[in-house]
Amino acid sequence: MAKETLLLTIGVLGGTGKEGKGLAYRWAKAGYQVLIGSRYSEKAVTAASEIMELLEGESSVVGTTNQEAAGQANIVVVTVPYSGHRELLENVREALNGKLVIDTTVPLVPPKVSKVQMPPAGSAAQEAKEILGENVEVVAAFQNVSYEYLLGDEDIACDVLVTGSSKKARQEALTLVEAAGLVGWDAGPIENSVVVEGLTSVLININKQYGSTHAGIKITGAQKPSGS
Amino acid sequence: MAKETLLLTIGVLGGTGKEGKGLAYRWAKAGYQVLIGSRYSEKAVTAASEIMELLEGESSVVGTTNQEAAGQANIVVVTVPYSGHRELLENVREALNGKLVIDTTVPLVPPKVSKVQMPPAGSAAQEAKEILGENVEVVAAFQNVSYEYLLGDEDIACDVLVTGSSKKARQEALTLVEAAGLVGWDAGPIENSVVVEGLTSVLININKQYGSTHAGIKITGAQKPSGS
Protein backbone atom coordinates (compact mmCIF):
# COMPACT_ATOMS: atom_id res chain seq x y z
CA MET A 1 0.00 0.00 0.00
CA ALA A 2 2.76 2.39 0.94
CA LYS A 3 4.44 1.72 -2.39
CA GLU A 4 1.30 2.53 -4.37
CA THR A 5 0.84 5.92 -2.80
CA LEU A 6 4.28 6.95 -4.04
CA LEU A 7 3.34 6.38 -7.66
CA LEU A 8 1.67 8.99 -9.83
CA THR A 9 -1.85 7.99 -10.90
CA ILE A 10 -3.17 9.03 -14.29
CA GLY A 11 -6.93 9.05 -14.83
CA VAL A 12 -7.99 8.63 -18.46
CA LEU A 13 -11.58 9.88 -18.73
CA GLY A 14 -13.56 8.49 -21.62
CA GLY A 15 -10.75 5.97 -21.73
CA THR A 16 -12.63 3.14 -23.43
CA GLY A 17 -12.14 4.61 -26.92
CA LYS A 18 -9.03 3.85 -28.96
CA GLU A 19 -7.35 7.12 -27.98
CA GLY A 20 -7.75 6.50 -24.27
CA LYS A 21 -6.84 2.83 -24.43
CA GLY A 22 -3.71 3.55 -26.44
CA LEU A 23 -2.47 6.21 -24.04
CA ALA A 24 -3.39 4.07 -20.99
CA TYR A 25 -1.42 1.16 -22.46
CA ARG A 26 1.69 3.27 -23.02
CA TRP A 27 1.61 4.91 -19.57
CA ALA A 28 0.93 1.64 -17.73
CA LYS A 29 3.88 0.12 -19.58
CA ALA A 30 6.03 3.04 -18.41
CA GLY A 31 5.15 2.26 -14.78
CA TYR A 32 2.34 4.69 -14.05
CA GLN A 33 -0.80 3.59 -12.29
CA VAL A 34 -3.66 4.16 -14.70
CA LEU A 35 -7.36 4.51 -13.98
CA ILE A 36 -9.64 4.19 -16.98
CA GLY A 37 -12.88 6.11 -16.54
CA SER A 38 -16.15 5.71 -18.39
CA ARG A 39 -19.79 6.67 -17.90
CA TYR A 40 -20.37 2.94 -17.44
CA SER A 41 -17.83 1.34 -15.13
CA GLU A 42 -18.35 -2.12 -16.71
CA LYS A 43 -17.06 -0.77 -20.04
CA ALA A 44 -14.03 0.67 -18.27
CA VAL A 45 -13.36 -2.63 -16.48
CA THR A 46 -13.45 -4.46 -19.83
CA ALA A 47 -11.06 -1.92 -21.42
CA ALA A 48 -8.69 -2.18 -18.44
CA SER A 49 -8.55 -5.97 -18.66
CA GLU A 50 -7.90 -5.79 -22.42
CA ILE A 51 -4.91 -3.54 -21.73
CA MET A 52 -3.67 -5.72 -18.86
CA GLU A 53 -3.73 -8.68 -21.25
CA LEU A 54 -1.59 -6.79 -23.77
CA LEU A 55 0.89 -5.86 -21.05
CA GLU A 56 1.29 -9.37 -19.60
CA GLY A 57 3.01 -7.85 -16.61
CA GLU A 58 2.76 -6.17 -13.27
CA SER A 59 1.32 -2.95 -14.60
CA SER A 60 -1.68 -1.41 -12.95
CA VAL A 61 -4.73 -0.51 -15.03
CA VAL A 62 -8.07 -0.30 -13.28
CA GLY A 63 -11.46 0.48 -14.79
CA THR A 64 -13.98 2.65 -12.97
CA THR A 65 -16.38 5.57 -13.48
CA ASN A 66 -15.20 8.92 -14.83
CA GLN A 67 -16.12 10.43 -11.47
CA GLU A 68 -13.95 7.96 -9.51
CA ALA A 69 -11.04 8.23 -11.94
CA ALA A 70 -11.16 12.03 -11.76
CA GLY A 71 -11.24 11.95 -7.97
CA GLN A 72 -8.45 9.45 -7.42
CA ALA A 73 -5.97 10.50 -10.10
CA ASN A 74 -3.16 13.05 -9.74
CA ILE A 75 -3.27 13.93 -13.43
CA VAL A 76 -6.44 13.65 -15.51
CA VAL A 77 -6.50 13.09 -19.27
CA VAL A 78 -9.65 13.84 -21.26
CA THR A 79 -10.22 11.61 -24.31
CA VAL A 80 -13.88 12.07 -25.21
CA PRO A 81 -15.37 13.09 -28.56
CA TYR A 82 -16.01 16.84 -28.66
CA SER A 83 -19.78 16.26 -28.45
CA GLY A 84 -19.35 14.98 -24.88
CA HIS A 85 -16.60 17.42 -23.81
CA ARG A 86 -18.55 20.08 -21.92
CA GLU A 87 -20.90 17.64 -20.19
CA LEU A 88 -18.05 15.45 -18.93
CA LEU A 89 -16.07 18.42 -17.59
CA GLU A 90 -19.08 19.93 -15.84
CA ASN A 91 -19.82 16.56 -14.22
CA VAL A 92 -16.32 16.00 -12.80
CA ARG A 93 -15.49 19.68 -12.16
CA GLU A 94 -15.33 19.40 -8.35
CA ALA A 95 -13.05 16.35 -8.45
CA LEU A 96 -10.54 18.14 -10.68
CA ASN A 97 -9.89 21.02 -8.30
CA GLY A 98 -6.14 21.72 -8.04
CA LYS A 99 -5.18 19.07 -10.62
CA LEU A 100 -3.53 19.06 -14.02
CA VAL A 101 -5.89 18.26 -16.90
CA ILE A 102 -4.52 17.14 -20.27
CA ASP A 103 -7.15 17.69 -22.94
CA THR A 104 -6.79 15.65 -26.14
CA THR A 105 -10.09 16.85 -27.61
CA VAL A 106 -10.35 18.09 -31.19
CA PRO A 107 -13.47 20.22 -31.74
CA LEU A 108 -14.39 18.73 -35.11
CA VAL A 109 -17.79 19.68 -36.52
CA PRO A 110 -19.08 16.82 -38.74
CA PRO A 111 -19.46 16.49 -41.63
CA LYS A 112 -16.86 19.22 -42.42
CA VAL A 113 -14.06 17.68 -40.35
CA SER A 114 -11.36 18.95 -42.73
CA LYS A 115 -12.35 22.55 -41.96
CA VAL A 116 -11.16 24.26 -38.77
CA GLN A 117 -14.21 25.31 -36.72
CA MET A 118 -13.34 26.34 -33.17
CA PRO A 119 -15.80 26.92 -30.28
CA PRO A 120 -16.36 30.50 -29.00
CA ALA A 121 -13.67 30.04 -26.30
CA GLY A 122 -11.09 29.74 -29.12
CA SER A 123 -10.30 26.03 -28.74
CA ALA A 124 -11.46 22.97 -26.78
CA ALA A 125 -8.63 23.46 -24.27
CA GLN A 126 -9.62 27.08 -23.61
CA GLU A 127 -13.23 25.94 -23.22
CA ALA A 128 -12.06 23.37 -20.63
CA LYS A 129 -10.14 26.08 -18.79
CA GLU A 130 -13.26 28.28 -18.75
CA ILE A 131 -15.35 25.45 -17.30
CA LEU A 132 -12.76 24.27 -14.75
CA GLY A 133 -11.67 27.69 -13.51
CA GLU A 134 -8.55 29.31 -12.10
CA ASN A 135 -7.50 26.46 -9.85
CA VAL A 136 -7.05 23.88 -12.61
CA GLU A 137 -4.16 23.87 -15.09
CA VAL A 138 -5.21 22.79 -18.59
CA VAL A 139 -2.87 21.51 -21.29
CA ALA A 140 -3.71 20.54 -24.90
CA ALA A 141 -1.79 17.58 -26.35
CA PHE A 142 -1.98 14.36 -28.43
CA GLN A 143 -4.54 15.70 -30.96
CA ASN A 144 -2.51 14.78 -34.03
CA VAL A 145 -1.30 11.29 -33.20
CA SER A 146 -2.83 8.31 -34.99
CA TYR A 147 -4.11 6.36 -32.03
CA GLU A 148 -4.07 3.02 -33.82
CA TYR A 149 -0.30 3.09 -33.40
CA LEU A 150 -0.37 3.65 -29.63
CA LEU A 151 -1.52 0.11 -28.84
CA GLY A 152 1.52 -1.26 -30.65
CA ASP A 153 5.17 -0.64 -29.83
CA GLU A 154 6.35 0.81 -33.13
CA ASP A 155 7.84 4.29 -33.43
CA ILE A 156 5.28 6.98 -34.18
CA ALA A 157 6.40 9.53 -36.79
CA CYS A 158 4.35 12.35 -35.32
CA ASP A 159 5.52 14.87 -32.75
CA VAL A 160 3.23 16.13 -30.00
CA LEU A 161 2.77 19.89 -29.64
CA VAL A 162 1.93 20.86 -26.06
CA THR A 163 0.17 24.13 -25.25
CA GLY A 164 -1.17 25.05 -21.84
CA SER A 165 -2.05 27.46 -19.09
CA SER A 166 1.43 27.55 -17.51
CA LYS A 167 4.96 26.52 -18.34
CA LYS A 168 5.02 24.18 -15.33
CA ALA A 169 1.87 22.43 -16.56
CA ARG A 170 3.35 22.07 -20.06
CA GLN A 171 6.51 20.57 -18.59
CA GLU A 172 4.55 18.02 -16.54
CA ALA A 173 2.60 17.07 -19.66
CA LEU A 174 5.83 16.78 -21.68
CA THR A 175 7.07 14.21 -19.15
CA LEU A 176 3.97 12.12 -19.91
CA VAL A 177 4.45 12.59 -23.68
CA GLU A 178 7.94 11.15 -23.38
CA ALA A 179 6.73 8.37 -21.06
CA ALA A 180 4.35 7.40 -23.88
CA GLY A 181 7.33 7.07 -26.22
CA LEU A 182 6.60 10.23 -28.20
CA VAL A 183 8.55 13.41 -28.94
CA GLY A 184 6.87 16.48 -27.42
CA TRP A 185 7.48 20.21 -27.79
CA ASP A 186 6.48 23.14 -25.62
CA ALA A 187 4.32 25.02 -28.14
CA GLY A 188 3.42 27.93 -25.87
CA PRO A 189 0.43 29.41 -24.04
CA ILE A 190 -3.09 27.97 -24.06
CA GLU A 191 -4.11 30.54 -26.73
CA ASN A 192 -1.94 28.52 -29.16
CA SER A 193 -4.21 25.48 -28.73
CA VAL A 194 -6.14 26.57 -31.83
CA VAL A 195 -3.08 25.63 -33.89
CA VAL A 196 -2.58 22.25 -32.23
CA GLU A 197 -6.26 21.29 -32.39
CA GLY A 198 -6.79 22.83 -35.84
CA LEU A 199 -3.80 20.97 -37.24
CA THR A 200 -5.92 17.83 -37.03
CA SER A 201 -8.26 19.25 -39.70
CA VAL A 202 -5.23 20.16 -41.83
CA LEU A 203 -3.92 16.59 -41.53
CA ILE A 204 -7.37 15.15 -42.33
CA ASN A 205 -7.32 17.35 -45.43
CA ILE A 206 -3.86 16.10 -46.41
CA ASN A 207 -5.01 12.48 -45.96
CA LYS A 208 -7.99 13.21 -48.23
CA GLN A 209 -5.98 15.02 -50.92
CA TYR A 210 -2.98 12.68 -51.06
CA GLY A 211 -4.60 9.31 -50.29
CA SER A 212 -2.74 8.81 -47.02
CA THR A 213 -4.28 7.62 -43.76
CA HIS A 214 -1.87 8.77 -41.06
CA ALA A 215 -0.37 12.13 -42.00
CA GLY A 216 1.47 13.74 -39.09
CA ILE A 217 4.07 16.42 -38.41
CA LYS A 218 7.66 16.54 -37.24
CA ILE A 219 9.42 19.63 -35.93
CA THR A 220 12.65 20.37 -37.82
CA GLY A 221 15.54 22.72 -37.10
CA ALA A 222 15.34 22.42 -33.31
CA GLN A 223 16.76 19.97 -30.79
CA LYS A 224 15.55 18.90 -27.40
CA PRO A 225 18.10 18.94 -24.56
CA SER A 226 17.65 15.24 -23.78
CA GLY A 227 17.75 14.32 -27.46
CA SER A 228 14.45 12.48 -27.25
CA MET B 1 8.01 40.86 -76.97
CA ALA B 2 5.78 38.00 -78.08
CA LYS B 3 7.82 35.61 -75.97
CA GLU B 4 7.41 37.71 -72.86
CA THR B 5 3.65 37.78 -73.01
CA LEU B 6 3.60 34.00 -72.83
CA LEU B 7 5.35 33.96 -69.46
CA LEU B 8 3.52 34.17 -66.16
CA THR B 9 4.37 37.33 -64.23
CA ILE B 10 4.51 37.28 -60.45
CA GLY B 11 4.17 40.56 -58.58
CA VAL B 12 5.76 40.54 -55.11
CA LEU B 13 4.22 43.44 -53.17
CA GLY B 14 6.32 44.76 -50.30
CA GLY B 15 9.05 42.79 -52.02
CA THR B 16 12.02 44.75 -50.67
CA GLY B 17 12.05 42.86 -47.34
CA LYS B 18 13.92 39.60 -46.93
CA GLU B 19 10.78 37.51 -47.44
CA GLY B 20 9.91 39.16 -50.74
CA LYS B 21 13.48 39.22 -52.03
CA GLY B 22 13.99 35.55 -51.20
CA LEU B 23 10.83 34.44 -53.00
CA ALA B 24 11.53 36.76 -55.96
CA TYR B 25 15.01 35.26 -56.30
CA ARG B 26 13.72 31.68 -56.34
CA TRP B 27 10.93 32.37 -58.83
CA ALA B 28 13.15 34.39 -61.17
CA LYS B 29 15.64 31.53 -61.10
CA ALA B 30 12.81 29.15 -62.05
CA GLY B 31 12.05 31.26 -65.14
CA TYR B 32 9.14 33.41 -64.02
CA GLN B 33 9.06 37.11 -64.71
CA VAL B 34 9.06 38.86 -61.38
CA LEU B 35 7.95 42.38 -60.52
CA ILE B 36 9.06 43.67 -57.13
CA GLY B 37 6.68 46.27 -55.74
CA SER B 38 7.28 48.82 -53.01
CA ARG B 39 5.72 52.05 -51.78
CA TYR B 40 8.90 53.70 -53.09
CA SER B 41 9.86 52.47 -56.54
CA GLU B 42 13.54 53.38 -56.02
CA LYS B 43 13.73 50.86 -53.17
CA ALA B 44 12.16 48.22 -55.41
CA VAL B 45 14.62 49.00 -58.23
CA THR B 46 17.52 48.54 -55.81
CA ALA B 47 16.13 45.23 -54.54
CA ALA B 48 15.58 44.02 -58.11
CA SER B 49 19.15 44.80 -59.10
CA GLU B 50 20.48 43.01 -56.00
CA ILE B 51 18.58 39.90 -57.03
CA MET B 52 19.69 40.20 -60.67
CA GLU B 53 23.28 40.30 -59.46
CA LEU B 54 22.77 37.08 -57.47
CA LEU B 55 21.23 35.39 -60.50
CA GLU B 56 23.98 36.34 -63.00
CA GLY B 57 21.70 35.26 -65.81
CA GLU B 58 18.87 36.04 -68.13
CA SER B 59 16.22 36.17 -65.45
CA SER B 60 13.78 39.01 -65.32
CA VAL B 61 13.33 40.94 -62.10
CA VAL B 62 12.02 44.51 -62.32
CA GLY B 63 11.41 46.96 -59.49
CA THR B 64 8.37 49.25 -59.50
CA THR B 65 5.56 50.53 -57.28
CA ASN B 66 3.14 48.18 -55.51
CA GLN B 67 0.37 49.64 -57.68
CA GLU B 68 2.20 48.88 -60.95
CA ALA B 69 3.27 45.42 -59.81
CA ALA B 70 -0.29 44.57 -58.78
CA GLY B 71 -1.66 45.79 -62.09
CA GLN B 72 0.82 44.05 -64.39
CA ALA B 73 1.20 40.70 -62.64
CA ASN B 74 -0.90 37.58 -63.22
CA ILE B 75 -0.34 36.35 -59.68
CA VAL B 76 0.26 38.71 -56.78
CA VAL B 77 2.18 37.78 -53.63
CA VAL B 78 1.80 39.90 -50.48
CA THR B 79 4.90 40.08 -48.25
CA VAL B 80 4.31 43.06 -45.97
CA PRO B 81 4.42 43.14 -42.15
CA TYR B 82 0.94 42.73 -40.70
CA SER B 83 0.86 46.39 -39.65
CA GLY B 84 0.74 47.41 -43.34
CA HIS B 85 -1.49 44.57 -44.55
CA ARG B 86 -4.90 46.24 -44.69
CA GLU B 87 -3.65 49.56 -46.08
CA LEU B 88 -1.72 47.88 -48.90
CA LEU B 89 -4.66 45.67 -49.92
CA GLU B 90 -7.11 48.58 -49.88
CA ASN B 91 -4.72 50.62 -52.04
CA VAL B 92 -4.27 47.97 -54.75
CA ARG B 93 -7.76 46.46 -54.51
CA GLU B 94 -8.91 47.51 -58.00
CA ALA B 95 -5.77 46.19 -59.68
CA LEU B 96 -6.22 42.74 -58.12
CA ASN B 97 -9.67 42.12 -59.58
CA GLY B 98 -9.88 38.58 -60.98
CA LYS B 99 -6.37 37.62 -59.88
CA LEU B 100 -4.85 35.06 -57.52
CA VAL B 101 -3.37 36.60 -54.36
CA ILE B 102 -0.90 34.61 -52.25
CA ASP B 103 -0.77 36.09 -48.76
CA THR B 104 2.36 35.32 -46.70
CA THR B 105 1.35 37.61 -43.83
CA VAL B 106 1.50 36.45 -40.21
CA PRO B 107 -0.68 38.60 -37.93
CA LEU B 108 1.82 38.82 -35.07
CA VAL B 109 0.99 41.27 -32.29
CA PRO B 110 4.26 42.53 -30.72
CA PRO B 111 5.59 42.08 -28.13
CA LYS B 112 3.74 38.78 -27.58
CA VAL B 113 4.77 37.21 -30.90
CA SER B 114 4.87 33.70 -29.44
CA LYS B 115 1.14 33.89 -28.66
CA VAL B 116 -1.45 33.31 -31.40
CA GLN B 117 -3.59 36.45 -31.75
CA MET B 118 -5.74 36.45 -34.88
CA PRO B 119 -7.68 39.41 -36.32
CA PRO B 120 -11.52 39.39 -36.15
CA ALA B 121 -11.75 37.85 -39.66
CA GLY B 122 -10.06 34.71 -38.26
CA SER B 123 -6.69 35.08 -40.00
CA ALA B 124 -4.78 37.51 -42.20
CA ALA B 125 -5.78 35.54 -45.31
CA GLN B 126 -9.47 35.70 -44.42
CA GLU B 127 -9.07 39.43 -43.77
CA ALA B 128 -7.52 39.80 -47.24
CA LYS B 129 -10.43 37.89 -48.76
CA GLU B 130 -12.92 40.20 -46.97
CA ILE B 131 -11.12 43.29 -48.32
CA LEU B 132 -10.64 41.98 -51.87
CA GLY B 133 -14.09 40.45 -52.36
CA GLU B 134 -15.66 37.58 -54.26
CA ASN B 135 -13.75 38.06 -57.48
CA VAL B 136 -10.29 37.48 -56.00
CA GLU B 137 -8.95 34.08 -54.90
CA VAL B 138 -6.80 34.28 -51.77
CA VAL B 139 -4.30 31.67 -50.66
CA ALA B 140 -2.17 31.60 -47.48
CA ALA B 141 1.35 30.17 -47.81
CA PHE B 142 5.05 30.55 -46.88
CA GLN B 143 4.42 31.80 -43.29
CA ASN B 144 6.68 29.25 -41.62
CA VAL B 145 9.74 29.31 -43.85
CA SER B 146 12.94 30.95 -42.59
CA TYR B 147 13.45 33.52 -45.32
CA GLU B 148 17.19 33.81 -44.76
CA TYR B 149 17.47 30.46 -46.52
CA LEU B 150 15.56 31.51 -49.64
CA LEU B 151 18.34 33.73 -50.96
CA GLY B 152 20.70 30.74 -50.92
CA ASP B 153 20.32 27.48 -52.80
CA GLU B 154 20.39 25.01 -49.93
CA ASP B 155 17.51 22.66 -49.16
CA ILE B 156 14.98 24.09 -46.74
CA ALA B 157 13.78 21.62 -44.11
CA CYS B 158 10.35 23.21 -43.78
CA ASP B 159 7.24 22.26 -45.71
CA VAL B 160 4.74 24.85 -46.91
CA LEU B 161 1.09 24.40 -45.91
CA VAL B 162 -1.25 26.00 -48.46
CA THR B 163 -4.80 26.99 -47.51
CA GLY B 164 -7.10 29.01 -49.74
CA SER B 165 -10.46 30.01 -51.09
CA SER B 166 -10.66 27.27 -53.76
CA LYS B 167 -8.90 24.06 -54.64
CA LYS B 168 -7.87 25.50 -58.02
CA ALA B 169 -6.26 28.48 -56.29
CA ARG B 170 -4.40 26.19 -53.89
CA GLN B 171 -3.15 24.11 -56.80
CA GLU B 172 -1.83 27.18 -58.63
CA ALA B 173 -0.07 28.27 -55.46
CA LEU B 174 1.39 24.78 -54.98
CA THR B 175 2.97 25.08 -58.43
CA LEU B 176 4.75 28.23 -57.24
CA VAL B 177 5.79 26.54 -53.97
CA GLU B 178 7.48 23.80 -55.96
CA ALA B 179 9.01 26.33 -58.38
CA ALA B 180 10.63 27.94 -55.32
CA GLY B 181 12.21 24.57 -54.46
CA LEU B 182 9.95 23.84 -51.52
CA VAL B 183 7.58 21.00 -50.63
CA GLY B 184 3.97 22.19 -50.41
CA TRP B 185 0.76 20.55 -49.18
CA ASP B 186 -2.89 21.36 -49.85
CA ALA B 187 -3.97 22.10 -46.27
CA GLY B 188 -7.60 22.85 -47.04
CA PRO B 189 -10.07 25.75 -47.07
CA ILE B 190 -9.22 29.36 -46.20
CA GLU B 191 -10.73 28.82 -42.71
CA ASN B 192 -7.67 26.62 -41.98
CA SER B 193 -5.35 29.62 -42.43
CA VAL B 194 -5.46 30.18 -38.66
CA VAL B 195 -3.41 27.00 -38.29
CA VAL B 196 -0.85 27.92 -40.93
CA GLU B 197 -0.43 31.51 -39.72
CA GLY B 198 -0.63 30.56 -36.03
CA LEU B 199 2.01 27.87 -36.47
CA THR B 200 4.53 30.70 -36.80
CA SER B 201 3.90 31.68 -33.17
CA VAL B 202 4.27 28.03 -32.16
CA LEU B 203 7.62 27.84 -33.98
CA ILE B 204 8.77 31.14 -32.41
CA ASN B 205 7.90 29.60 -29.05
CA ILE B 206 9.89 26.45 -29.84
CA ASN B 207 12.89 28.58 -30.89
CA LYS B 208 12.66 30.44 -27.57
CA GLN B 209 12.27 27.31 -25.42
CA TYR B 210 14.87 25.14 -27.12
CA GLY B 211 17.47 27.71 -28.20
CA SER B 212 16.95 27.12 -31.92
CA THR B 213 16.63 29.83 -34.58
CA HIS B 214 14.89 28.12 -37.49
CA ALA B 215 12.37 25.61 -36.22
CA GLY B 216 10.08 24.37 -38.99
CA ILE B 217 7.72 21.49 -39.75
CA LYS B 218 7.67 18.50 -42.07
CA ILE B 219 4.60 16.49 -42.95
CA THR B 220 5.07 12.76 -42.26
CA GLY B 221 3.04 9.72 -43.27
CA ALA B 222 1.88 11.11 -46.62
CA GLN B 223 3.39 11.19 -50.09
CA LYS B 224 2.94 13.59 -52.95
CA PRO B 225 2.17 12.09 -56.38
CA SER B 226 5.22 13.69 -58.02
CA GLY B 227 7.45 12.75 -55.11
CA SER B 228 8.57 16.34 -54.66
Side-chain angles (χ1 to χ4, degrees):
Chain A
M1 291 296 280
K3 179 175 162 244
E4 283 187 16
T5 57
L6 289 172
L7 294 171
L8 208 55
T9 300
I10 305 174
V12 184
L13 309 192
T16 59
K18 56 182 190 253
E19 301 87 341
K21 280 205 282 195
L23 289 170
Y25 167 75
R26 295 235 165 181
W27 285 322
K29 209 173 63 168
Y32 289 92
Q33 296 197 69
V34 178
L35 295 173
I36 292 195
S38 170
R39 281 159 80 168
Y40 310 102
S41 61
E42 317 84 70
K43 278 182 69 180
V45 169
T46 305
S49 64
E50 279 171 29
I51 296 168
M52 288 298 282
E53 226 167 278
L54 278 176
L55 286 165
E56 302 173 355
E58 294 171 16
S59 307
S60 168
V61 186
V62 173
T64 181
T65 60
N66 283 326
Q67 198 68 46
E68 276 291 310
Q72 289 180 26
N74 308 104
I75 297 176
V76 172
V77 183
V78 177
T79 62
V80 289
Y82 182 64
S83 56
H85 187 245
R86 173 176 289 276
E87 190 192 341
L88 170 72
L89 291 173
E90 283 173 347
N91 284 343
V92 298
R93 193 176 177 280
E94 297 295 317
L96 298 181
N97 191 41
K99 295 182 180 175
L100 169 64
V101 171
I102 301 178
D103 200 340
T104 72
T105 309
V106 181
L108 298 175
V109 184
K112 283 269 180 201
V113 294
S114 62
K115 182 165 114 179
V116 175
Q117 296 178 82
M118 290 291 143
S123 61
Q126 285 164 286
E127 188 175 80
K129 179 72 180 155
E130 278 184 10
I131 296 167
L132 299 174
E134 273 313 298
N135 209 19
V136 177
E137 298 277 14
V138 176
V139 161
F142 299 109
Q143 287 82 357
N144 308 308
V145 174
S146 294
Y147 288 102
E148 292 93 288
Y149 290 150
L150 288 174
L151 276 173
D153 295 317
E154 54 229 289
D155 264 1
I156 295 178
C158 184
D159 288 355
V160 175
L161 300 177
V162 175
T163 53
S165 52
S166 77
K167 187 168 175 177
K168 184 166 170 291
R170 299 194 294 271
Q171 279 171 336
E172 282 192 70
L174 284 166
T175 303
L176 292 195
V177 172
E178 278 163 38
L182 293 155
V183 177
W185 299 93
D186 182 338
I190 196 164
E191 289 85 354
N192 293 3
S193 305
V194 57
V195 175
V196 183
E197 297 176 13
L199 200 51
T200 304
S201 290
V202 165
L203 295 173
I204 289 171
N205 204 84
I206 288 173
N207 283 334
K208 215 167 63 175
Q209 298 293 327
Y210 301 96
S212 50
T213 52
H214 294 100
I217 65 140
K218 278 293 217 186
I219 295 296
T220 60
Q223 279 195 322
K224 303 193 64 184
S226 62
S228 74
Chain B
M1 291 296 279
K3 180 174 162 245
E4 281 186 16
T5 56
L6 289 173
L7 294 171
L8 207 55
T9 300
I10 305 174
V12 183
L13 309 193
T16 60
K18 57 182 191 254
E19 299 87 342
K21 279 205 284 196
L23 289 171
Y25 167 76
R26 295 233 166 182
W27 285 322
K29 209 172 64 169
Y32 288 92
Q33 295 197 70
V34 178
L35 295 173
I36 291 194
S38 169
R39 281 158 80 169
Y40 309 103
S41 63
E42 316 86 69
K43 278 181 70 180
V45 169
T46 304
S49 65
E50 280 170 28
I51 295 167
M52 287 299 281
E53 226 165 278
L54 277 176
L55 286 165
E56 301 172 356
E58 294 171 15
S59 307
S60 168
V61 186
V62 173
T64 180
T65 60
N66 283 325
Q67 198 68 46
E68 276 291 311
Q72 288 179 29
N74 308 102
I75 297 177
V76 172
V77 183
V78 176
T79 62
V80 289
Y82 181 64
S83 57
H85 186 246
R86 174 175 290 277
E87 189 191 341
L88 170 72
L89 291 173
E90 284 172 349
N91 285 344
V92 298
R93 194 176 175 281
E94 297 296 318
L96 297 182
N97 191 39
K99 295 183 180 175
L100 169 64
V101 172
I102 300 178
D103 199 339
T104 73
T105 308
V106 180
L108 297 176
V109 184
K112 284 266 179 202
V113 293
S114 61
K115 183 165 113 181
V116 174
Q117 296 178 83
M118 290 291 142
S123 62
Q126 285 164 287
E127 187 175 80
K129 179 72 178 154
E130 277 184 11
I131 295 167
L132 299 174
E134 274 313 298
N135 209 20
V136 178
E137 298 276 15
V138 176
V139 161
F142 299 109
Q143 287 82 356
N144 307 309
V145 175
S146 294
Y147 287 103
E148 292 92 290
Y149 291 149
L150 289 174
L151 276 173
D153 295 318
E154 55 228 288
D155 264 0
I156 296 178
C158 185
D159 288 356
V160 175
L161 299 176
V162 175
T163 53
S165 52
S166 77
K167 186 168 175 175
K168 185 167 169 289
R170 298 194 294 270
Q171 278 170 336
E172 281 191 72
L174 283 166
T175 304
L176 292 195
V177 172
E178 278 163 38
L182 293 156
V183 177
W185 298 92
D186 182 339
I190 195 165
E191 290 84 354
N192 294 2
S193 305
V194 57
V195 175
V196 184
E197 297 176 14
L199 199 51
T200 304
S201 291
V202 165
L203 296 172
I204 289 171
N205 204 83
I206 287 174
N207 283 334
K208 215 167 64 174
Q209 299 291 328
Y210 300 96
S212 51
T213 53
H214 295 99
I217 64 141
K218 278 295 216 185
I219 294 296
T220 60
Q223 277 194 322
K224 304 192 66 184
S226 60
S228 73

